[in-house]
Amino acid sequence: MASQLSQEIKFLAGVGPRRADLLKSELGIETLYDLLYYFPYKYVDRTKFYTVREINDSMPFVQLVGKIIQVETSGVGAKARMSAVFTDSTGSIDLVWFKGIKWVKQTMKPNATYVVFGKPTLFNGRLNIVHPELEIHDDSKTMISGSIQAFYNTSEKMKSNYLSSKAILKLQANLFASLKDKIPETFPAWFTAKYKLMNIHEALRTVHFPENPDQLSAARFRLKFEELFFIQLKILSLKSNRERRFKGHIFSKVGDVFNTFYYKCLPFEMTNAQKKVIREIRKDMGSGHQMNRLLQGDVGSGKTLVALMCMLIAIDNSMQTCLMAPTEILAIQHFGTISQMLQPLGLSIRLLTGSSSVKDRRLIHHELETGAVDILIGTHALLEDKVVFQNLGFVVIDEQHRFGVAQRAKLWHKNTIPPHILVMTATPIPRTLAMTVYGDLDVSVIDELPPGRKPIKTLHFYDNKRKQVYDFIRKEIALGRQIYIVYPLIEESESFDYKNLQDGYEVVCKVFPEMKVSMVHGRMKPAEKDKEMMAFKSRESQILVSTTVIEVGVDVPNASVMVIESAERFGLSQLHQLRGRVGRGAEQSYCILMSSYKLSKESNIRLDTMVRTNDGFEIAEVDLKLRGPGDLEGTQQSGIGFDLKIAQLGRDGEILSHARNVANDILSLDPVLTSDENKLFRQKLSRMRNASFDWSSIS
Ligand code: ADP
Ligand code: MG
């Protein structure tokens, strides 16, 4: 049976080599199995039948039963037209075709009873249906009419080759007709019984040929659950394998370094959320297991401090630590604040980035190997093979969504016993996505901002209100504040609609001749970038004009206004990150979104969402709904395929949690799935592993 499903699609009745090629090139369907798992994107309820007398042209679609009489054709080529009269016992309407006439004519059966489906329109005072769907009325189960009809996505190319949604449905019917046996169950019997799941054969048949809404939702539930369950089983079993395989460094004590910092250097009281997370991390690091933890916390929630305190615990236990950031600006900033905060402790802290000089690098490499460096801060440069630690015990990856799994893995291998790993992300991701993308990590959340922060006020202005915005900026600067102005592009490129950074800079200088304006962008040399950033940080300049290089992490508490030019061009998480650059001090901060009048529906939703809420998690949910999981930051690099066939992470959160709990329950009783009753799971997992990149060995 399994072998029957793996048969090539071209041997299925109604396919043949030409359609097989199309199915493959357009939809990636090569086997019967692929077709079976090509699911409808929508359904239309065709259980209701009307009579001709009942219908009118305001109805979206109708379904009638009757006979076709008086077929007439006229015209040729582009003007060809065929019409027919359709009657039932209550009256008649016209059916009209402009295309595919030959085929319709050939296949039309005189005297047969037809079901006609389509949109009624009024033409010359008479109702007609253009290009109706026709089906001979019979009582078989695979008949479309009288049931809920599935619709499949098809391409233009397919349609012009008569591979319409309906044709696919017909192929599904042929597939089921050709099956010699039932489709084999992928779940053990005890499992379908326990979790009340429809059997797979039934579910697959129903999803293509539903008979009623209840049955359809039970079928969809079964298929969604299965899809999500196996992903969770895979993720969680990797996690438990990893926990069994790798020992972790045991940080048994909190010592002088930590305590001195805590009691003497800490500039403020930690929030309860920060304390809670540090406790969670400490517990992990003392457990003997290697820690892999995700620290989530909205922008400005104080993740850096948490990471720093944990680094100090590692140092107290005679280990080295490192912190990796995605941009040089951020690495430099971390180096600056951390060096300053830790000054009284006399630790050795080094900065390593792509632009460190050869001489500096050599020295740092040497110091790392001898164990002289306690804390290494840097960019991707930390990943290089030449960077060898004497005894690396704790790794922090800031803004993790900017890195991939492979990079996380590299840091793993920097010690024989892998270091504990803390990844941090401020791009809040919806819970469902976290369970999938970061499903193999333990999660800590900082759900509280430091006290005294005022919520940022977000305003949306069209470009014609620019003068008002400038007046506002001037007022804020007069109060001693600083301003960011962010542009989407570095150079004029695709379109003149978009504000150009260089132009923008000149305009800003002209509008504010009395101010000092700094500028940073990605193409600047690091030293220049650093100089400009420093000028802004030290308040020498009042305005910083920049591209999104400042998007993540940058911390200048005195800056209170973030102006985002062409805001419609940015994604939601980017807007939220940018907004997070302000609101870091005690002053009221503002985020001003500038946009043109011409906004797409999605841009409107994005900008409205920003104005409406400061809650990163809510924003992430909207983002997920707008874009789908595959496009969200971090998911591409996650190593998990997002080719979900039926489940939608944005909508199926409950099913996902359920699937994860069930997977957890199974693994907690039978971690490597050795028992007989879990045999099917074990086999499925090993097939999944063979089919995809195996990241079990890395993280
Ligand atoms: P993020 O979580 O976005 O990385 P940061 O770690 O950059 O946030 O912290 C944002 C700002 O809040 C910094 O200026 C930091 O010094 C400050 N901060 C962190 N923790 C506290 C606290 N408990 N009380 C007051 N300010 C804090
Ligand atoms: Mg940060």
Side-chain angles (χ1 to χ4, degrees):
M1 178 65 207
S3 65
Q4 192 187 341
L5 286 184
S6 59
Q7 257 172 31
E8 283 179 68
I9 194 81
K10 69 175 173 219
F11 301 119
L12 179 67
V15 181
R18 210 179 122 70
R19 285 183 147 192
D21 284 349
L22 265 178
L23 286 169
K24 181 177 175 193
S25 63
E26 298 294 292
L27 302 179
I29 294 175
E30 294 185 62
T31 63
L32 294 188
Y33 180 92
D34 296 340
L35 179 65
L36 195 55
Y37 279 82
Y38 188 65
F39 294 128
Y41 74 96
K42 72 164 186 186
Y43 296 88
V44 171
D45 187 348
R46 292 188 56 178
T47 51
K48 170 90 182 129
F49 289 90
Y50 291 89
T51 60
V52 169
R53 196 193 302 147
E54 288 171 316
I55 66 173
N56 62 59
D57 66 330
S58 69
M59 295 172 153
F61 57 82
V62 296
Q63 187 164 247
L64 305 160
V65 188
K67 299 217 165 171
I68 295 174
I69 52 173
Q70 283 181 32
V71 182
E72 272 171 26
T73 50
S74 65
V76 284
K79 294 218 173 107
R81 171 191 153 97
M82 177 167 100
S83 66
V85 176
F86 174 86
T87 69
D88 67 9
S89 58
T90 68
S92 71
I93 60 162
D94 291 339
L95 307 178
V96 184
W97 290 266
F98 302 102
K99 283 191 296 191
I101 293 174
K102 205 169 130 202
W103 193 75
V104 179
K105 218 165 144 187
Q106 273 169 10
T107 51
M108 198 179 284
K109 295 205 172 67
N111 298 321
T113 303
Y114 272 99
V115 176
V116 165
F117 175 79
K119 159 90 189 118
T121 49
L122 213 49
F123 184 74
N124 283 344
R126 198 171 147 75
L127 279 177
N128 69 22
I129 297 180
V130 180
H131 289 157
E133 279 188 30
L134 295 182
E135 189 181 44
I136 302 236
H137 190 261
D138 72 15
D139 292 327
S140 76
K141 269 204 164 167
T142 54
M143 207 176 71
I144 298 167
S145 50
S147 64
I148 298 171
Q149 182 184 352
F151 280 80
Y152 300 86
N153 279 318
T154 57
S155 65
E156 282 309 312
K157 197 165 162 197
M158 290 171 67
K159 281 188 199 115
S160 58
N161 284 282
Y162 304 108
L163 253 177
S164 61
S165 167
K166 203 177 152 200
I168 303 242
L169 191 57
K170 182 80 182 106
L171 295 182
Q172 301 285 8
N174 294 349
L175 192 163
F176 276 95
S178 77
L179 290 182
K180 293 188 194 71
D181 304 293
K182 292 216 157 194
I183 298 160
E185 186 49 75
T186 42
F187 286 150
W190 69 265
F191 190 78
T192 41
K194 179 167 178 191
Y195 296 105
K196 301 193 176 54
L197 299 165
M198 190 183 263
N199 76 59
I200 188 74
H201 184 90
E202 184 76 8
L204 286 167
R205 196 182 56 74
T206 304
V207 85
H208 297 293
F209 303 101
E211 277 158 30
N212 63 58
D214 288 346
Q215 197 199 27
L216 176 59
S217 63
R220 282 168 60 80
F221 178 84
R222 148 81 206 223
L223 295 169
K224 287 176 177 194
F225 177 83
E226 173 162 359
E227 192 166 43
L228 297 170
F229 170 78
F230 280 122
I231 293 176
Q232 289 302 321
L233 195 66
K234 176 178 164 186
I235 293 172
L236 292 171
S237 81
L238 293 180
K239 180 168 183 266
S240 87
N241 284 345
R242 187 182 67 209
E243 282 166 2
R244 257 172 299 115
R245 242 169 74 194
F246 296 104
K247 281 195 300 182
H249 300 282
I250 299 180
F251 296 167
S252 51
K253 65 171 187 220
V254 166
D256 284 350
V257 175
F258 183 96
N259 285 328
T260 310
F261 179 77
Y262 187 75
Y263 293 109
K264 303 228 171 91
C265 317
L266 197 58
F268 31 63
E269 176 71 10
M270 282 199 287
T271 62
N272 286 328
Q274 286 172 318
K275 287 182 190 160
K276 175 196 76 183
V277 168
I278 291 177
R279 276 197 300 274
E280 286 167 359
I281 296 172
R282 254 204 76 190
K283 197 164 156 226
D284 266 10
M285 297 194 303
S287 72
H289 291 304
Q290 184 238 4
M291 175 179 83
N292 275 280
R293 191 169 274 279
L294 169 71
L295 175 53
Q296 266 197 287
D298 214 339
V299 277
S301 59
K303 293 184 292 295
T304 320
L305 181 70
V306 168
L308 179 62
M309 307 270 286
C310 297
M311 290 169 115
L312 299 183
I313 298 177
I315 295 168
D316 269 335
N317 288 272
S318 315
M319 306 287 294
Q320 293 169 292
T321 67
C322 71
L323 185 162
M324 182 166 74
T327 64
E328 187 155 28
I329 289 183
L330 188 51
I332 292 170
Q333 176 187 288
H334 280 322
F335 179 72
T337 39
I338 290 176
S339 304
Q340 197 188 1
M341 278 197 186
L342 298 186
Q343 205 179 10
L345 298 178
L347 296 174
S348 159
I349 306 167
R350 294 282 177 272
L351 175 70
L352 182 67
T353 71
S355 48
S356 302
S357 71
V358 176
K359 193 170 139 240
D360 283 353
R361 266 169 213 246
R362 259 195 220 123
L363 184 65
I364 292 173
H365 291 165
H366 177 72
E367 287 179 336
L368 285 169
E369 279 184 71
T370 60
V373 175
D374 297 305
I375 299 178
L376 179 66
I377 294 170
T379 55
H380 292 79
L382 303 194
L383 299 172
E384 286 171 17
D385 292 337
K386 279 188 211 140
V387 178
V388 177
F389 293 81
Q390 189 195 49
N391 200 4
L392 179 65
F394 182 63
V395 168
V396 180
I397 305 178
D398 196 15
E399 308 294 351
Q400 142 76 20
H401 57 287
R402 293 301 185 88
F403 295 100
V405 185
Q407 286 155 328
R408 232 200 291 163
K410 280 211 155 180
L411 290 169
W412 264 67
H413 295 300
K414 300 239 177 234
N415 201 345
T416 34
I417 295 178
H420 296 300
I421 302 210
L422 181 69
V423 303
M424 310 203 287
T425 178
T427 301
I429 51 175
R431 220 169 47 87
T432 54
L433 205 55
M435 278 192 262
T436 312
V437 184
Y438 300 117
D440 62 322
L441 304 179
D442 294 306
V443 179
S444 290
V445 182
I446 304 187
D447 51 7
E448 178 185 9
L449 293 178
R453 299 258 174 93
K454 295 198 180 73
I456 302 163
K457 287 192 179 143
T458 302
L459 308 158
H460 173 201
F461 287 103
Y462 294 113
D463 289 333
N464 61 347
K465 290 277 160 58
R466 188 166 295 280
K467 181 161 178 314
Q468 258 168 272
V469 173
Y470 288 150
D471 288 345
F472 177 72
I473 289 176
R474 200 165 276 121
K475 230 174 64 205
E476 283 290 301
I477 295 177
L479 291 170
R481 313 282 134 70
Q482 290 167 285
I483 318 290
Y484 292 103
I485 304 179
V486 173
Y487 292 85
L489 290 180
I490 302 180
E491 276 167 26
E492 222 155 37
S493 60
E494 295 120 323
S495 156
F496 287 92
D497 279 354
Y498 299 139
K499 296 286 168 295
N500 164 273
L501 181 75
Q502 296 289 347
D503 277 2
Y505 176 72
E506 279 162 32
V507 171
V508 172
C509 291
K510 224 179 269 162
V511 176
F512 301 102
E514 70 282 17
M515 315 286 176
K516 184 153 180 338
V517 184
S518 297
M519 174 165 74
V520 286
H521 59 74
R523 300 198 180 166
M524 273 175 158
K525 291 221 174 67
E528 267 177 281
K529 244 191 270 182
D530 196 26
K531 192 173 135 247
E532 297 286 305
M533 281 307 298
M534 283 322 291
F536 190 62
K537 276 199 150 179
S538 65
R539 303 195 191 187
E540 198 184 304
S541 57
Q542 292 78 44
I543 301 177
L544 179 68
V545 172
S546 99
T547 58
T548 50
V549 289
I550 58 144
E551 177 185 333
V552 290
V554 170
D555 187 37
V556 181
N558 189 53
S560 65
V561 181
M562 165 63 68
V563 180
I564 304 175
E565 293 284 353
S566 303
E568 71 271 31
R569 286 212 58 207
F570 293 85
L572 260 180
S573 73
Q574 232 180 352
L575 290 172
H576 183 63
Q577 280 279 351
L578 285 169
R579 176 167 62 184
R581 296 310 111 222
V582 296
R584 299 181 153 245
E587 310 304 336
Q588 176 63 55
S589 290
Y590 302 87
C591 174
I592 297 175
L593 307 169
M594 302 297 299
S595 84
S596 71
Y597 265 120
K598 283 181 286 173
L599 290 181
S600 68
K601 196 172 143 223
E602 280 204 7
S603 305
N604 252 322
I605 297 178
R606 285 199 299 268
L607 300 183
D608 286 351
T609 305
M610 288 295 294
V611 171
R612 179 170 52 86
T613 179
N614 275 314
D615 180 345
F617 285 92
E618 194 180 333
I619 289 171
E621 295 285 349
V622 176
D623 206 18
L624 179 61
K625 292 219 168 80
L626 284 180
R627 294 203 289 173
D631 286 336
L632 291 192
E633 247 180 313
T635 56
Q636 288 97 336
Q637 309 99 306
S638 71
I640 295 175
F642 270 86
D643 48 350
L644 293 177
K645 288 187 170 23
I646 190 161
Q648 288 174 290
L649 292 181
R651 304 226 173 109
D652 296 324
E654 263 178 55
I655 305 180
L656 176 61
S657 305
H658 177 49
R660 186 171 170 93
N661 290 339
V662 171
N664 237 333
D665 288 350
I666 288 174
L667 288 170
S668 64
L669 292 175
D670 185 8
V672 269
L673 304 172
T674 43
S675 75
D676 230 25
E677 62 172 17
N678 291 331
K679 193 167 134 204
L680 280 175
F681 297 144
R682 186 169 69 243
Q683 289 167 347
K684 171 80 184 185
L685 276 196
S686 80
R687 276 198 305 277
M688 283 170 90
R689 247 171 240 149
N690 292 337
S692 73
F693 169 57
D694 178 10
W695 34 296
S696 64
S697 55
I698 49 171
S699 71

